[in-house]
Amino acid sequence: LLRIYGGSRKKESSAISLSAMNALISACGRGGRPDISLRILNEMESAYGVMPNRRSYRCAIIVCNQAEHERRRQIRRRHDRELALESEKGANRPGEALLENSAFADDSDFQWWECALSLLRRMQEAGLTPDVQIYSSAISACEAAGQWQRALGVLQSMMKTKTLGEASPPNLYCFNAAISACEKGGAWLEALELYERMLEDGGDVKPNFISLNSLLVALDKAGQKELAQSKYDEGRLNKIVSPWKKTTSSDGNEPIWAMDLHNFSGAMAKAAIRSIMENLLSSMRPVHDISKDLIIIVGKGKGSENNKVVLFPTVKRVLEEDYSIEAVIDPSNSGRLVLKSNTLQSVVNSRKWR
């Protein structure tokens, strides 16, 4: 249809408008054909006599970002299938080694994050100034690929243009994508630096739940247990995160406050459990009445990729290994763990001397 109605450069004017071309770029991306989106952008001037504008590049870079995220999802699904097959065959190889040596080693797939950065440079060379959405999409594409150095490079260039008054300052999405890129790349020091910068700058951009969650995952992967705990407690005091939710008891007859962790990462859930247990074992004002059962909502894995149960084993392991507490599954709701009041009282009374 584009070739039929779009006309050609030989005609005095194209039969298709710039806004229609931009809409086509976005539509092809949403339809799972980012390659066609890029072909349209590349042929706009030569084939149709339409000069791309900033919106054209914005649409194309957003398409590249979406394609990179989809590519990574497909890689993870391929990993899961390979691991399942190896498990069925009774292979002795560790799953982590298989993960590293299979799909992630496949470099034949197109790198959409590189394409996003290339388009960003190209539009600047054409005299077009990127806006916040363009920058954030480029950072997000780098984040999906774990290219933390490139993500930080884009963020830094964005800050430089801000000081020159050429663009809007980075927004929360830009910072969160950069922190997540550092987490994926194992750059926990850089993730911490970005998080601290958001806290200290005193501007409108402040860390939120996503910022803290990504930081805690980075610190947990690096084995920075104490630092992760400190940042979680700081975030709780700053009201960035709160684990408490009003719900009903197991029999549904009594309103209670429960720990709701089902939106937490494993790293944040571990910090939340340690935070409340250390509170109960200290001389501080307790955040929970140990004469009552403590309900911990961990979910059933429905919100996780491939419906994997993630938080249940993580929380159970922390309680058992760090505090010698056995949590039981709520018989009326398998997405809840219950710490019985008599168990809590026994642990608190025996260890409060600490």
Side-chain angles (χ1 to χ4, degrees):
L1 287 175
L2 179 61
R3 297 192 182 281
I4 292 173
Y5 296 107
S8 69
R9 197 175 181 180
K10 295 178 181 180
K11 295 184 178 181
E12 293 184 0
S13 62
S14 177
I16 189 168
S17 66
L18 175 60
S19 60
M21 298 285 278
N22 292 342
L24 276 172
I25 292 172
S26 296
C28 291
R30 289 194 298 270
R33 293 302 304 269
D35 55 323
I36 296 180
S37 295
L38 293 187
R39 189 191 313 162
I40 293 171
L41 178 70
N42 291 331
E43 295 179 355
M44 281 177 69
E45 184 180 4
S46 61
Y48 306 104
V50 179
M51 183 70 70
N53 63 0
R54 183 164 67 175
R55 183 174 181 82
S56 308
Y57 283 100
R58 182 193 302 126
C59 293
I61 291 174
I62 289 173
V63 165
C64 291
N65 176 33
Q66 294 168 339
E68 185 62 47
H69 280 270
E70 178 58 30
R71 176 175 176 269
R72 295 293 155 171
R73 281 192 290 269
Q74 291 178 1
I75 288 174
R76 289 194 295 270
R77 293 190 194 107
R78 192 157 69 225
H79 291 166
D80 290 339
R81 287 195 298 269
E82 290 179 0
L83 290 172
L85 288 173
E86 291 296 330
S87 178
E88 290 175 3
K89 293 176 182 178
N92 294 322
R93 288 187 301 169
E96 187 174 344
L98 175 63
L99 190 75
E100 181 181 349
N101 295 327
S102 59
F104 267 122
D106 182 6
D107 293 327
S108 61
D109 292 336
F110 190 82
Q111 305 291 323
W112 290 103
W113 66 270
E114 290 183 338
C115 181
L117 295 184
S118 176
L119 290 177
L120 180 62
R121 289 191 297 269
R122 184 168 130 191
M123 70 175 295
Q124 291 171 314
E125 291 169 358
L128 299 172
T129 302
D131 56 23
V132 174
Q133 190 175 13
I134 292 172
Y135 274 119
S136 64
S137 295
I139 294 171
S140 180
C142 295
E143 174 263 326
Q147 296 289 328
W148 64 272
Q149 297 101 327
R150 302 298 182 90
L152 291 184
V154 176
L155 185 65
Q156 288 165 359
S157 68
M158 191 179 186
M159 292 175 177
K160 182 178 179 181
T161 57
K162 169 197 169 185
T163 61
L164 297 174
E166 297 176 359
S168 301
N171 59 14
L172 179 61
Y173 187 88
C174 295
F175 274 100
N176 282 349
I179 292 174
S180 182
C182 292
E183 173 261 305
K184 287 182 172 63
W188 67 270
L189 276 171
E190 286 76 8
L192 180 61
E193 182 180 347
L194 285 175
Y195 184 86
E196 294 291 346
R197 180 168 189 165
M198 294 170 72
L199 285 174
E200 295 170 1
D201 275 358
D204 295 332
V205 180
K206 296 293 183 185
N208 65 357
F209 180 89
I210 296 173
S211 319
L212 179 59
N213 195 51
S214 295
L215 175 63
L216 293 179
V217 173
L219 294 175
D220 184 67
K221 286 180 177 179
Q224 298 292 326
K225 175 180 172 181
E226 291 78 12
L227 185 54
Q229 193 62 51
S230 171
K231 288 298 153 187
Y232 173 83
D233 291 335
E234 178 186 276
R236 186 173 50 79
L237 291 174
N238 290 334
K239 298 183 179 179
I240 295 174
V241 60
S242 174
W244 298 105
K245 174 184 178 180
K246 200 161 189 178
T247 182
T248 57
S249 57
S250 299
D251 56 17
N253 296 326
E254 181 185 357
I256 61 169
W257 285 97
M259 289 189 74
D260 185 3
L261 308 182
H262 80 276
N263 287 325
F264 287 26
S265 64
M268 183 177 278
K270 287 192 282 188
I273 292 297
R274 291 183 180 123
S275 180
I276 187 173
M277 290 306 304
E278 294 303 319
N279 169 271
L280 296 178
L281 293 170
S282 71
S283 57
M284 296 185 294
R285 180 181 177 183
V287 295
H288 174 74
D289 183 358
I290 61 174
S291 66
K292 298 179 180 179
D293 294 348
L294 174 60
I295 305 297
I296 305 173
I297 303 172
V298 293
K300 302 175 183 178
K302 293 181 179 179
S304 304
E305 192 165 3
N306 298 326
N307 293 327
K308 290 181 179 178
V309 178
V310 176
L311 292 182
F312 174 81
T314 299
V315 171
K316 192 174 176 61
R317 184 167 59 251
V318 170
L319 288 168
E320 291 176 352
E321 294 179 358
D322 291 9
Y323 303 100
S324 301
I325 296 178
E326 182 178 359
V328 297
I329 300 175
D330 188 336
S332 65
N333 187 339
S334 60
R336 289 180 169 188
L337 287 175
V338 181
L339 298 186
K340 293 294 186 180
S341 60
N342 57 347
T343 302
L344 283 174
Q345 292 176 39
S346 175
V347 171
V348 170
N349 291 333
S350 64
R351 300 182 63 181
K352 206 161 188 177
W353 58 270
R354 297 193 319 170

